[in-house]
Structures are given as C-alpha cells and as structure tokens.
Amino acid sequence: MLDSGARHLRLAIRTFLRNKSAYLSVIGTLTLGIAMSIAMFSLVDAVLLRPLPFPRQESIQVIWKTDPLAGTHVEELAYPELRDLQESIPDFESVAVMPTSLYGYARVLQTGTAEPVQIESAPVSHDFFRVLGVSPILGRDFTKEDERVGAPPVVVLSDRVWRNQMGADGNIVGRMIRLNGQGHTVIGVMAPGVEFPRGAGLWIPLGVERRIVERRGATFLQAIARLNPGVSRERVAIQVNALFTRLAVDYPDTYTRSQQGVVMPLVEYWTGSTRIQLWIVLGASLLLLSASVMSASNLLLSRTISRRSEIATRLALGARRGQILTQLGTEGALIAMAAVTAGMTVAQYAIRVLIRWAPEDIPRLSDAALNLDCAFFAAGVAALAAIACTVIPGWSATRMQVEAALREGGARSSMSRRASRARSLFVAAQSAVTVVLLVVASLLILSYRSMMSAHTGFANRDAVSMNLQLRGPGMFSGQAFDANFRRSFYTELLKRLRDAPGVTSAAAVLLRPLEGTIGWDVPYEFEFEAGREQSRVLPKVNFEVVTPDYFKTIGTVLLEGRDFDEHDAPGGEPVAIVSRTLARKIQGAGHAPVGHRIRIGSPDAPWTKIVGVSADARYRSVTQSGADIFVPYSQAPQPTNYVVLRGSLPSANLAALVRETLAKIDSNQTIAGVATVGELIGANTARNRFNAILLLWFGVCAGILSAAGVYSVVAEAMAARDREIAIRTALGAQRFRLVREIVAGTLAFVVMGELFGTFAVSAFGNLGSGVLYGVTAHNPLILGSVALFLFLVSLGSAGVPAWSASGRDPKIRLTE
C-alpha cells in the first residue's frame, strides 16, 4: 500500500509539473478564499466568540434606561437607583454601578521617576469585581468601607498599568501613588485581561469620586448585575421595567413615565456595534471562499474532462478503474494540500495587516491569532472541492467506451451535457456571489462617502484638541472643585497660548466633538407657557461649557447674536448660545430666539438669556444630529476639560507648545489625547471605512474569479467544438454569428446569477441598514450599475477567447 501510494504521489507531482500554469491557477484561487476566510474568522473569534475573562459571563447583565418619547437611547442611572435595584430585584446575585463612559475620569499618574501620564480610570461601587467574578492577583479589591465618604483614597491597578508604569513591582500593594496630585494607596492588582469598562487602567471607589451619591437627578452611571443561576434575562427585564415604572410614580419630578429599562448581556455590551459589522465582513469572506471554490472547481472540472483521452488510453492498457480514480484523487488532494498550506501562511500575514489596519476601538482585536478550527473547515472545503472535481468527472470518464474515446485521437473530446451544465451553473453561482459582494461594497463605500461629506458643523478640521483636566491639591476648595481657581488657570493658559507665535486662536470646551456617544445631556424648558408644559417630554440636549473664541477656533458659524466675552462675568446675568435646531423650536412658538430665556437643568435653576444661535454641529456621532446648549465657562460650575487650538504650526508643534506653557504655569498638569478635528471625524467613521475597503477588496476578487470562470468556460467550449467551428467556417458561416451563438449561452447563466444575487441583496438588505448612512440597500441605481458592470466584464471575458478561437484558419484546424 505504501509503495502504491508513493507511485500515485510521484505521478501526481509529475502531472503537476507538466501542467504548472493550470494547477497554479487553481491553487492561487483556493489560496485567496482560504486565507481571507481564515483571517476574518480569526478576527471574529477573538472579538465575538472567545469567552470574556469572567466566569459565567452569560449571567452578567448591564442595565440602563431609555426614553423613546424624549428621543434618548441611553438614559443614565443615578447612584440611589443602585439601592433600588438591590432591594427590588431578588434575582440578582450581586449588583454594582460603573460610569457610563470613561472619558472625563482620567487620572494623571505621577511616579516621581518619569513624566506624568494620564490613565483612564473607572469609579465603581464596591461590589463591582464580585459581579464580574474576578479577584486581584495581588492584594484585595474594594470593600464597603472604601466607598464611605471620608475614607482614605485607595486604588486597584490593572495588570497593564502595573507592568508598564510600576515595572511589575511585586511589593506595590500598600504603597502610595499620586493620582491628580492626591495620594492613593494601592490595595490590589487585577488579573491580566480584566480591563472593564473597556480601556480602564485603574479603578477607584465611587464614594471617594462623587459626593452627590444621594441625588436622584445626578445621572452618570450604568448598573452591572450578576443573575442567580437559572434566571433568564427576560424575567429580570420585566422586574427592572416594573421598578422604573414605580419610580416614575414615586418621584414624578425626576423621572418620566415613558422611561423603560434596558437589560443587555455583557458580551453584547462589550462588542457594541462591532458585532453586526464583523458578521457582515465574515459573511462576505465566506462568500469569497465559496466563489474561489467554485472557480477552482470549474478549472479542475475543465482539466479533468480534457483528460478523457488519456484515461481511455490507460484503460486500454489494462489500468483498473480504482487505480485511475485513486490517481485523480491523489492529484486533487495534492492541490488541496498546497492551497491550504499557502492559505494558512497568507492568513497569518493577513491577520497582522488587518490588526494594524483596523480601528483601535474594536475590542480584543489585538488578541486575534490563526484559528485552527476555521483552518480545518476551510481545508476540508478545499479538499472536498478539489477531490470531487477530479474524481467525479474521472469516474464518468472511466465508464465511457474506450474504442470511441481512442478514435478521437489527440483532439479534445466534446463535453457531456451534464459537465457543461455543471460548469455553467458554477458561472451562475459565481455571478450571484459577485453581485452580492459588489453591491454590499458599493453601499458601504457610498455610505462612508456620505459620512465624510456630511456637514458636521466643524469647518476647521485642522484645529487641534487635547485633553486637559486640571488636577492637584490647588484645584479643590474643601471637597469641591475651586471654580475660581480653575477659571483663573484657564484664563492665564489661553492668554499665553493666543499670544504665542504661530497660534491663530485658542479656546477650551467641556467635551470636545466626537469624543463618544455619551456626554452631558441636560433637560431644559422655555420661558413661554407652552414650553414649560412640554419640558417633561422634550428630549435632553447636549450641554457644553466653552470659553470665548471657541466657535471661531472650531469653525462653527454663529448665525445670530454674539459670542461670549469678558463681560459674561460669574456674577452677571446667566447667558447661553443655542444651536439652530433648538432655536427653531422657539421660533415655532412665535418667539425670537435671541433675547429669549431658557431654564437649563433642574427646575430651581435660574433663567438663562439666549445671546446667540450657532449652526448645528454633531458632537456625538457624524451620523447623528441633535440640539446643543453652550454656556460660558465663567458662569458654569462644570470644568472645561479640552483645549482647542488653531494656527499655522503642525498639530505636534501646537501640542508641544501647550506642554511648554503648562510647565511654566504648573508642572503637575499634563495633556493627553491630542487629535485634530479631522482625525476625530476619521476615528468616528473608521469602522465604516475599514468595512468598505475590505468588502471592496472581496468584491474585486470575486469579480476577477467570476471573469476567469466565464473565460475558462468559453475557452473550453471553443476547444471542444473546434472541428465543428472549423467545418462551419469552411462552409461560409459568419464569424460574428459563431461567436454570438457560443457567448450567448454562457451570458445567459451570468444574467441568471445576477438576478439571483440582486434578489438576495433585496431580500436581506434590511439586515445591514444599521451600518448604512445616506443610502439604502434597495437602491436601484446601485443594483443596476453593479449588474451592468458585471455583465460587461463577463461579455469581455467570454468574447475574447471566442473571437480569438473562431478566427483560426479552418484548413489548419481540420488537418491537426
């Protein structure tokens, strides 16, 4: 058996070397599909399928609210609602709260041996790690005493911060480190991989962070709960909704009756919008794999059919059918083995490229590695296709009449109707797959183009922004921020920056554009009677604290009124600037926006005079517009956390200028997250760009494979009918008519595949509507353009071999 297998293998290698171009085409085709499918599945496995580092992760749920009538998708919780959840939901094993987002909670770490570094932190309640089911590798986690007001400040470090900033010091527990100029005792180091909320480098007790834990109106949290064994998410969702309904009755001044609870599994919360985007890309890679398998099958089928004369000769010389089939199967296995080996090698490099190329905000993407399960699946598909497309037609050839096959001599035998039909169906299937990939890619590209051309409201995309959260003992007066000190600091900083050479304008803002989907949302009411009555159902608006010249620096147009200036003093009349969307509501009630008064926040807040109307801007997402209210930093208790500059210098030089200026004023302060407005817009749309380019690559590859399939079918048909065409040409048949006759049959299957692909896109188009912007999946122009493009490519691929073969001299062809 070993000797026989060795002979079959040697013969397969010799056959491969004699027909290198044909077999290398098959291997290259399979390699493309195998590599991309393995690479994409490896990414999906790392991000979506691989378990999180939390035991019984399916029992961990994240809880927040939504208010459909107010137009808010994410309504944050207040700290007292933690107690409500603990007391009202018996199916919770444990429950804790965490911040809705991390931006705004960064801490400046000062080790004394290196430059200060800003690290994302998460203020959490004491049961947070018990909900996750994790324990520190060093020290302990939080207790209820750590959360008590007035307790000594403590901190738990992530494994990443411990290694990178502390040198993996095994004696770190009990040491004092400085965060924002304040001493914190390190009580623990968390296990590797535990960085939740995503990106957190350290955790501090929530009670130490906030002194307003009893205010129901102070909403900035989300709850995270671990369910008791056997309890379903649906059951808990009913209980949570009942709780929020009861709270709306008990506290009518704080809650709306339209609020609803949201209970989401941790794994879905972790991946967010990445989930549907990665599934779309994975589906596209599997379609590309199927297209490559069909193209390779077409080539192998053609190659095996062309060897019928060889098979007949071997049968006449006494070879058994089993030996011939074994030989053909060995050749197919050799091709599959080479394709799988090449595909896995290419996949490893493709994974590295995709990790480097993909947006940074896709969770756990850097952990992606070659997935062996997917490799085995792709290898099995490739091997099955290669062996089937060599053995099955070979088995059919061994059943033919040997004498008739030998009489054909060296000429190519006519393909059987069954083989011809099979190859044509491959062409139809490839066309369908190509239409789907090209349509999806076109939709994503047009969607991304719409995003990038959308009017964001920020004309100065070269403006540089950076995070600057003033920290240190001087920032506090007792237990609260010293607002006067902060204003003086920013006034001095901005004055020095504006006077610096190369700086055109400088300003500061509470939260810079496109920093995240969550921000400062505040309720409001208008001064006129109807506005007061509607205040309960009006959607909350984005709230920003800005300095003078902010609109000029960021490039937002002031449509009416004036900008803030030095006359807007802390003790003066409260003023605000509203966006055009909010101004239109005032105009709709018959009032002029400028000069009208609005109440921002709680019902006991003072009335604020509107002094200007700005153009609408998109602070949360490029694809979402909303209303904004701006107040001057001199009159707001909230801090400005971001500096924005514009000038003739490059962004790196402007950032260096800010660092130098800070060092002269207060060396304890540092900046982080330096980015231009254009870079923020690019980061906000990075996933869409990544998906569009990747799908375009898949579509182009599928188009090339489809064109190659059409070319091979027509070329084989012309070769099989060579004598017939020569005779008809000699009898006076027109060349164009012969070409049209042969090409039309193949193009009919191309059109059939296009119709099926178009139907598939139309039927399942709504599934991807969440990732499209400014375009719909049922766009007839895109569907028609893709179908026409593929038809023209197929026409060229079919016409070239047909026209070339039909032009040969019939005398030469008949005497060969």
Side-chain angles (χ1 to χ4, degrees), residues 586-624:
I586 302 175
Q587 292 171 337
H591 300 275
V594 175
H596 191 74
R597 297 203 303 174
I598 186 174
R599 194 197 305 272
I600 307 170
S602 61
D604 57 349
W607 288 102
T608 300
K609 181 182 178 181
I610 298 175
V611 296
V613 176
S614 70
D616 286 334
R618 303 190 175 187
Y619 276 84
R620 304 296 172 81
S621 171
V622 170
T623 60
Q624 296 177 359

Side-chain angles (χ1 to χ4, degrees), residues 531-777:
R532 296 184 184 182
E533 294 176 355
Q534 296 174 4
S535 63
R536 298 287 297 159
V537 297
L538 288 173
K540 293 182 178 180
V541 296
N542 178 53
F543 177 77
E544 294 286 357
V545 178
V546 301
T547 65
D549 288 342
Y550 170 74
F551 297 102
K552 171 187 174 182
T553 306
I554 206 73
T556 300
V557 179
L558 278 176
L559 304 176
E560 296 181 47
R562 64 172 178 86
D563 195 356
F564 300 129
D565 54 35
E566 66 277 2
H567 298 99
D568 300 316
E573 181 184 15
V575 295
I577 295 174
V578 300
S579 64
R580 179 164 52 181
T581 295
L582 204 57
R584 284 174 176 171
K585 295 183 179 181
I586 302 175
Q587 292 171 337
H591 300 275
V594 175
H596 191 74
R597 297 203 303 174
I598 186 174
R599 194 197 305 272
I600 307 170
S602 61
D604 57 349
W607 288 102
T608 300
K609 181 182 178 181
I610 298 175
V611 296
V613 176
S614 70
D616 286 334
R618 303 190 175 187
Y619 276 84
R620 304 296 172 81
S621 171
V622 170
T623 60
Q624 296 177 359
S625 59
D628 309 299
I629 293 178
F630 305 89
V631 298
Y633 84 120
S634 57
Q635 296 182 344
Q638 295 85 1
T640 49
N641 295 325
Y642 291 86
V643 175
V644 185
L645 287 86
R646 191 163 184 260
S648 58
L649 301 176
S651 58
N653 292 16
L654 290 175
L657 175 63
V658 175
R659 291 190 180 96
E660 294 173 6
T661 307
L662 284 173
K664 297 176 182 178
I665 301 176
D666 184 351
S667 60
N668 291 322
Q669 308 302 329
T670 185
I671 60 173
V674 179
T676 65
V677 173
E679 290 170 344
L680 292 173
I681 294 174
N684 191 261
T685 58
R687 292 186 187 180
N688 303 85
R689 181 179 65 251
F690 175 71
N691 292 339
I693 296 176
L694 203 56
L695 264 295
L696 179 61
W697 164 248
F698 290 165
V700 169
C701 290
I704 294 174
L705 294 176
S706 179
V710 171
Y711 183 95
S712 65
V713 167
V714 175
E716 184 63 30
M718 296 300 294
R721 300 175 59 181
D722 188 54
R723 294 181 63 84
E724 172 198 342
I725 293 173
I727 294 173
R728 294 177 63 181
T729 303
L731 295 176
Q734 294 181 353
R735 184 181 183 185
F736 179 78
R737 182 175 180 180
L738 290 174
V739 172
R740 184 182 61 185
E741 179 183 326
I742 295 174
V743 170
T746 302
L747 292 182
F749 283 92
V750 171
V751 173
M752 181 192 305
E754 289 182 335
L755 292 175
F756 184 80
T758 302
F759 174 78
V761 172
S762 300
F764 300 101
N766 291 332
L767 296 178
S769 58
V771 298
L772 297 178
Y773 174 76
V775 64
T776 64

Side-chain angles (χ1 to χ4, degrees), residues 186-198:
V186 178
I187 61 172
V189 175
M190 195 49 61
V194 180
E195 294 191 10
F196 184 80
R198 185 157 50 89

